[in-house]
Amino acid sequence: MGIQILLHLTVMLVLAPLLFGIIGKTKALFAGRWGAPLFQPYYDIIKFFKKGNVYSTTTTWIFQVAPLVYLATILVSSLLIPFGGLKAPVYFWGDFILFIYISGLSRYFIIIGALDTGSSFEGMGASREATFSCLAEIVLALDFIILAILSKQLILSEMVGGTILSSWPLFGPVLLLVGLSYFLVLLVESARIPIDDPTTHLELTMIHEVMFLDHSGWDLACVSYASMMKFFVLGSLFVNILIPFHNLSAILQTVVFGVGMIGLAIIVGIVESCIARLRLNRIPELIIGAFVLALVGLLIILIKGV
Amino acid sequence: MEKQGFQELYVRNGQSWAISAVPLLAEQCFQEKILKDCSLGSRLVNLFAYQEDSEYIRIFAMLGKDNEGKIAIFSMRVSVAKACFQSLTVDLPQAQLFEREIAEQFALTPIGHPWLKPLRYHKNYRNVPDIWPEIATRPIPGVYPFYQIKGEEAHEVAVGPVHAGVIEPGHFRFQCHGEIIFNLEIQLGYQHRGIEKLMKDVSADRAVQIVESISGDTVIGHTSAYCNLIESLSGCEISPQAQVIRAIGLELERLANHTGDLGALSKDIGFLPTAAYFGRLRGEFLNLSMELCGSRFGRSLCRVGGVLFDIDNEMIKDFQKRLLVAQKDLKNISRLLFMKPSVLSRFEGTGIVTNKIAKELGLVGPAARASGCVCDTRTNYAFGMYRFNHIPISTVNSGDVYARGFIRWIESQRSIEFILDVLNHIPEGDLQLKTNSLKPNHMALAMTEGWRGEIVHVAITDAASRLARYKIKDPSFNNWPGLALAVRQAQISDFPLCNKSFNLSYAGHDL
């Protein structure tokens, strides 16, 4: 199991920044530019790791611990999810609850880390993150409940595993609704347009980025890397739900999974290129929309029965 | 120039007149006249002080009647011993910044001013103790209080003077309740270079270069105002050819900045395609400017007596061809921006300045026209080429970010049409004429419509024909309070968008 865990983490550590590179390239092509190199996210992380940390005298140990906890929680949560041919190294009954709570823990630490600086910008960011993610959490839980009912499983990797294959012919519409609402949650959680603009420099409009304004060096590398891996983790769940490839051989599964992940990055890039960001007070409406989609899916299952 | 009765002097844009012709009123008369004229629809174009002699400081008021193209000028005296005057701000909010400026420059106290704080943090021109003792020794924003809201749930956000983007320094203090802005106070002055004072000390050759750097993005706007002013004071009428070239330069500057602003607006809402395309289009207009005078920002195009660069036939053909392409591109990109529902949902209803507030604050330029004010110096106080080729005034009524964006699109279209029109028949003439010395004891006024709005330059000469006072008013000076009011009750996350929709100059305000 040790080797399995190591392999799992290595795959994610190596590939996660590539997705951001693909998103960036897609956006650049839509804007008629060549854009930054595909491997720019890797260069950025290496650059951050080379720099020294700077700590404000108003911060405490919480500020320094938060990036590490954020990184650690993402690494742990990734172990519950299969990456194509790689089965989830850790699984047990009810582990989807652990998944939700781990993401809660990571959020809690970045929020108190941001509040620890005492900066009004970071305070605003923390308040926004708390508001929007606590709404998104409910949608995520609802999506998991639907998947659990469909697969009659309480293990996350099984919920999105082989049984999805048999659910598609009968419950295709439900899975589409789940996929769509999960996609919106994915955009909220990974702070992409139309919810948040990851490229903006305007502190007053940021949600996620603004909480890391005071981080530097290793800490900044940790949070940036963790954000990329968070997208990888959430994205791989999305691909598992929407593409039923689980009866293929392990190698083919990995290929399909890889293509699916690249496709997801391109879709996110296209979404970011085609619509403007929402006004901040409209974001809850979007999340409520995602909730309603999931709720309709749940209703279909409850009425039709599995 | 015409005199009506004993107490009226009306001038037109670009005229000069003897100082002795300006009516001198008693303080109370002076104030009553300002209040009365403004209540009848006049606008405070300028209010500034000038040290006449060691005993008296004279305050000049210029009130513009936009629909008649006339400007009423009158003045009052304040004795140095008294060193105070009655403030008009409570009755006339647009006098607010002018009075603070006078207080700072000449250490005269406007009695009853509700928010008497320094504007640019410099010592006064008279070398007497300042109204604010520590004004020049402490770093900005000094020891002066910001407007504050107290309460358990109110919080304060301080932004700047160092910002996240590569922009100018300025301090913004928000009083918020959650995400809602209750009040914004803008504190500038970080870019103060003492330009008004410099202008009367330097040679004419240097003066024009200083004027070019009043605000780096409004080079032609300010330089042509300066040139018109000096030409008026020296009785020089420049050739029609030079006028056309100045107008082309001014419109190219407007086009480059307007399209750049539309790109910046798209970028602020995360709408990438138009952000990139408008950026490219801005480059096209800057390049045209580059070919006209060798500088993308129009430096060294205008000089007193005319212009330094000619347009030959080949260049005209090239300009026409490229402008037609740009016209088509602009149309396509603007449609993409203004037809997109997700863009409209961000623009519409954000940062509204009502017509009433715009008039009370005396806003100028696109920001005023976006709130339905019919004011455009090119038409109301036509100067140079605009006296022969009229540009229709475009207005939008909603006063929100959408309106301020949309007006930039409409105006860009009009500007391209204007340039294409004048390129067809560029008159022959001398590029640059020699100018005489300035008329002694005279005063002159020159207004131009820069891309941000009305630029006003006023000069007063002494008995020896030297400049004794040079007064500059950048449109940003009028419009910064507009931004502060636009964001009231708005979301704080919408502030950058509102700010970009005004896109005001810090340097132009700070001088």
Side-chain angles (χ1 to χ4, degrees):
Chain A
M1 195 165 106
I3 296 173
Q4 260 187 314
I5 290 178
L6 214 61
L7 187 65
H8 217 70
L9 291 182
T10 313
V11 165
M12 184 175 66
L13 284 166
V14 171
L15 293 179
L18 186 65
L19 294 181
F20 272 50
I22 294 171
I23 295 177
K25 259 304 190 229
T26 314
K27 286 166 74 173
L29 289 180
F30 264 83
R33 298 181 286 117
W34 283 115
L38 196 58
F39 295 111
Q40 189 62 43
Y42 294 95
Y43 306 147
D44 286 344
I45 288 172
I46 294 170
K47 179 181 73 186
F48 294 149
F49 271 122
K50 282 184 185 162
K51 299 208 173 202
N53 288 336
V54 179
Y55 294 112
S56 149
T57 50
T58 60
T59 58
T60 63
W61 61 273
I62 294 174
F63 179 75
Q64 301 181 25
V65 161
L68 289 176
V69 175
Y70 182 38
L71 185 68
T73 49
I74 304 294
L75 291 177
V76 170
S77 63
S78 75
L79 298 178
L80 303 174
I81 293 164
F83 296 155
L86 293 175
K87 297 274 167 275
V90 177
Y91 53 89
F92 53 88
W93 259 65
D95 62 0
F96 77 97
I97 294 176
L98 179 71
F99 184 87
I100 293 174
Y101 272 80
I102 286 183
S103 58
L105 182 71
S106 86
R107 193 170 302 125
Y108 174 72
F109 265 89
I110 56 173
I111 287 173
I112 61 167
L115 290 175
D116 194 37
T117 61
S119 141
S120 47
F121 292 135
E122 302 219 11
M124 280 195 297
S127 118
R128 288 167 187 170
E129 175 89 8
T131 313
F132 301 139
S133 57
C134 84
L135 289 171
E137 210 164 60
I138 301 171
V139 185
L140 185 66
L142 201 55
D143 287 339
F144 282 168
I145 289 170
I146 295 171
L147 290 173
I149 297 175
L150 276 181
S151 61
K152 300 196 176 66
Q153 285 285 352
L154 288 176
I155 301 171
L156 188 55
S157 53
E158 295 293 325
M159 281 157 54
V160 298
T163 52
I164 268 197
L165 206 57
S166 48
S167 302
W168 264 103
L170 258 174
F171 289 99
V174 176
L175 282 170
L176 274 179
L177 287 170
V178 170
L180 198 55
S181 84
Y182 182 77
F183 183 66
L184 295 175
V185 172
L186 174 82
L187 292 179
V188 175
E189 288 282 331
S190 51
R192 313 297 312 186
I193 286 176
I195 289 87
D196 196 357
D197 184 357
T199 55
T200 185
H201 62 270
L202 305 163
E203 313 97 331
L204 290 176
T205 69
M206 296 175 181
I207 300 172
H208 188 71
E209 293 290 308
V210 75
M211 294 194 294
F212 305 132
L213 278 186
D214 287 271
H215 290 289
S216 54
W218 276 71
D219 291 349
L220 185 59
C222 285
V223 292
S224 319
Y225 210 175
S227 296
M228 291 173 190
M229 289 190 283
K230 189 176 183 187
F231 183 76
F232 190 89
V233 170
L234 293 168
S236 55
L237 264 179
F238 179 72
V239 172
N240 272 306
I241 297 170
L242 277 201
I243 311 179
F245 54 73
H246 302 89
N247 59 344
L248 303 171
S249 69
I251 296 173
L252 268 180
Q253 278 192 33
T254 311
V255 171
V256 174
F257 174 76
V259 172
M261 290 297 273
I262 292 171
L264 172 69
I266 293 174
I267 291 172
V268 169
I270 293 173
V271 168
E272 296 203 1
S273 305
C274 291
I275 52 174
R277 217 188 128 183
L278 287 172
R279 189 176 288 174
L280 209 60
N281 52 0
R282 285 280 174 82
I283 294 173
E285 295 170 22
L286 183 86
I287 304 177
I288 289 168
F291 178 78
V292 170
L293 290 176
L295 201 63
V296 172
L298 186 66
L299 277 179
I300 295 175
I301 295 178
L302 291 180
I303 290 166
K304 201 157 178 260
V306 180
Chain B
M1 192 184 348
E2 48 191 303
K3 263 196 158 180
Q4 297 179 353
F6 289 107
Q7 298 199 332
E8 312 257 348
L9 170 68
Y10 287 102
V11 296
R12 291 190 180 271
N13 184 7
Q15 276 188 324
S16 62
W17 60 93
I19 301 178
S20 54
V22 180
L24 184 62
L25 312 179
E27 182 172 347
Q28 201 174 354
C29 267
F30 178 81
Q31 290 177 336
E32 276 167 9
K33 184 159 170 56
I34 293 181
L35 291 179
K36 192 180 137 227
D37 281 13
C38 284
S39 69
L40 294 175
S42 285
R43 194 165 49 81
L44 194 57
V45 170
N46 221 336
L47 182 71
F48 67 99
Y50 160 58
Q51 182 147 25
E52 242 181 349
D53 47 42
S54 55
E55 269 178 57
Y56 286 107
I57 291 165
R58 198 154 163 187
I59 298 181
F60 292 92
M62 299 188 164
L63 296 178
K65 291 194 168 180
D66 286 343
N67 47 1
E68 293 174 36
K70 289 195 300 190
I71 290 166
I73 296 185
F74 45 93
S75 63
M76 71 167 186
R77 268 191 184 135
V78 179
S79 79
V80 168
K82 194 173 146 219
C84 62
F85 62 99
Q86 206 62 42
S87 165
L88 290 168
T89 299
V90 172
D91 300 309
L92 190 70
Q94 49 182 308
Q96 193 252 127
L97 285 180
F98 288 112
E99 289 183 345
R100 279 165 67 180
E101 187 182 41
I102 292 172
E104 188 170 69
Q105 290 179 336
F106 290 91
L108 304 179
T109 312
I111 297 165
H113 192 293
W115 200 243
L116 191 58
K117 280 180 67 176
L119 207 55
R120 299 171 181 129
Y121 298 85
H122 60 77
K123 287 199 171 104
N124 66 64
Y125 294 170
R126 295 200 289 137
N127 283 328
V128 295
D130 282 294
I131 297 178
W132 305 276
E134 289 170 320
I135 181 168
T137 51
R138 294 241 182 181
I140 305 173
V143 290
Y144 315 101
F146 282 95
Y147 187 81
Q148 253 191 331
I149 290 172
K150 289 248 158 46
E152 186 83 337
E153 294 189 342
H155 67 107
E156 195 177 54
V157 182
V159 183
V162 181
H163 299 279
V166 186
I167 58 165
E168 299 177 77
H171 183 80
F172 301 87
R173 193 67 70 95
F174 297 90
Q175 308 296 323
C176 298
H177 179 249
E179 297 276 340
I180 306 289
I181 302 172
F182 279 179
N183 188 63
L184 161 63
E185 190 170 341
I186 301 168
Q187 184 60 64
L188 305 176
Y190 297 88
Q191 306 248 77
H192 179 64
R193 295 148 287 168
I195 288 182
E196 284 186 5
K197 221 175 150 190
L198 264 180
M199 285 302 289
K200 53 180 194 168
D201 298 333
V202 300
S203 66
D205 290 341
R206 261 197 75 196
V208 70
Q209 286 176 343
I210 291 173
V211 170
E212 282 182 334
S213 49
I214 289 173
S215 174
D217 49 17
T218 321
V219 174
I220 295 176
H222 274 291
T223 322
S224 55
Y226 167 78
C227 293
N228 289 349
L229 189 70
I230 300 297
E231 283 148 13
S232 161
L233 272 175
S234 60
C236 163
E237 179 72 30
I238 66 168
S239 71
Q241 186 194 20
Q243 284 177 353
V244 170
I245 293 176
R246 274 186 194 174
I248 292 175
L250 190 60
E251 294 309 319
L252 282 178
E253 185 170 272
R254 189 183 324 280
L255 280 165
N257 282 298
H258 277 4
T259 46
D261 281 352
L262 287 171
L265 282 172
S266 331
K267 197 165 182 205
D268 271 15
I269 55 167
F271 191 56
L272 299 173
T274 54
Y277 295 143
F278 276 122
R280 181 187 65 76
L281 203 56
R282 171 171 178 264
E284 299 283 325
F285 295 123
L286 290 178
N287 288 345
L288 287 178
S289 197
M290 169 93 179
E291 264 157 60
L292 183 62
C293 65
S295 158
R296 279 155 59 91
F297 298 98
R299 284 181 187 244
S300 68
L301 176 67
C302 306
R303 284 295 178 270
V304 173
V307 292
L308 290 186
F309 297 91
D310 196 4
I311 295 190
D312 57 28
N313 279 333
E314 207 172 305
M315 212 156 142
I316 292 177
K317 284 207 188 84
D318 185 43
F319 268 43
Q320 282 170 332
K321 205 171 77 196
R322 286 158 68 177
L323 279 169
L324 283 172
V325 175
Q327 191 174 33
K328 219 176 95 199
D329 286 350
L330 179 72
K331 195 171 162 189
N332 290 336
I333 307 168
S334 301
R335 276 200 180 156
L336 182 62
L337 180 68
F338 288 109
M339 304 287 256
K340 197 88 189 170
S342 65
V343 171
L344 293 182
S345 96
R346 283 305 299 280
F347 282 0
E348 283 177 343
T350 306
I352 297 175
V353 179
T354 58
N355 183 264
K356 184 166 167 281
I357 286 181
K359 283 196 169 135
E360 270 179 18
L361 293 179
L363 299 193
V364 295
R369 294 194 283 276
S371 296
C373 302
V374 187
C375 64
D376 187 331
T377 314
R378 290 173 293 174
T379 309
N380 292 337
Y381 308 96
F383 55 95
M385 192 58 203
Y386 302 103
R387 284 172 297 178
F388 312 111
N389 270 51
H390 297 291
I391 292 188
I393 302 183
S394 324
T395 58
V396 186
N397 288 322
S398 53
D400 48 9
V401 171
Y402 171 79
R404 285 186 289 275
F406 200 73
I407 198 100
R408 286 180 160 90
W409 177 26
I410 307 177
E411 288 190 21
S412 303
Q413 291 171 320
R414 297 291 95 79
S415 291
I416 295 183
E417 285 160 14
F418 174 85
I419 301 178
L420 285 172
D421 186 31
V422 296
L423 276 177
N424 283 329
H425 40 78
I426 292 190
E428 297 279 315
D430 295 314
L431 271 187
Q432 199 182 9
L433 298 172
K434 275 208 93 60
T435 48
N436 308 319
S437 59
L438 309 182
K439 297 177 206 162
N441 286 323
H442 262 63
M443 203 173 163
L445 161 76
M447 297 155 75
T448 55
E449 182 77 11
W451 63 275
R452 280 196 188 91
E454 175 192 272
I455 295 168
V456 183
H457 286 217
V458 179
I460 298 176
T461 56
D462 61 10
S465 292
R466 286 182 314 237
L467 286 177
R469 174 88 170 99
Y470 198 90
K471 179 81 195 75
I472 300 159
K473 199 211 65 185
D474 188 85
S476 306
F477 190 79
N478 301 78
N479 287 357
W480 275 114
L483 171 63
L485 282 191
V487 299
R488 275 206 186 157
Q489 296 302 321
Q491 298 253 316
I492 190 166
S493 61
D494 281 337
F495 169 73
L497 185 62
C498 293
N499 188 21
K500 207 57 69 52
S501 74
F502 279 88
N503 193 8
L504 300 172
S505 168
Y506 300 63
H509 172 278
D510 291 346
L511 295 175

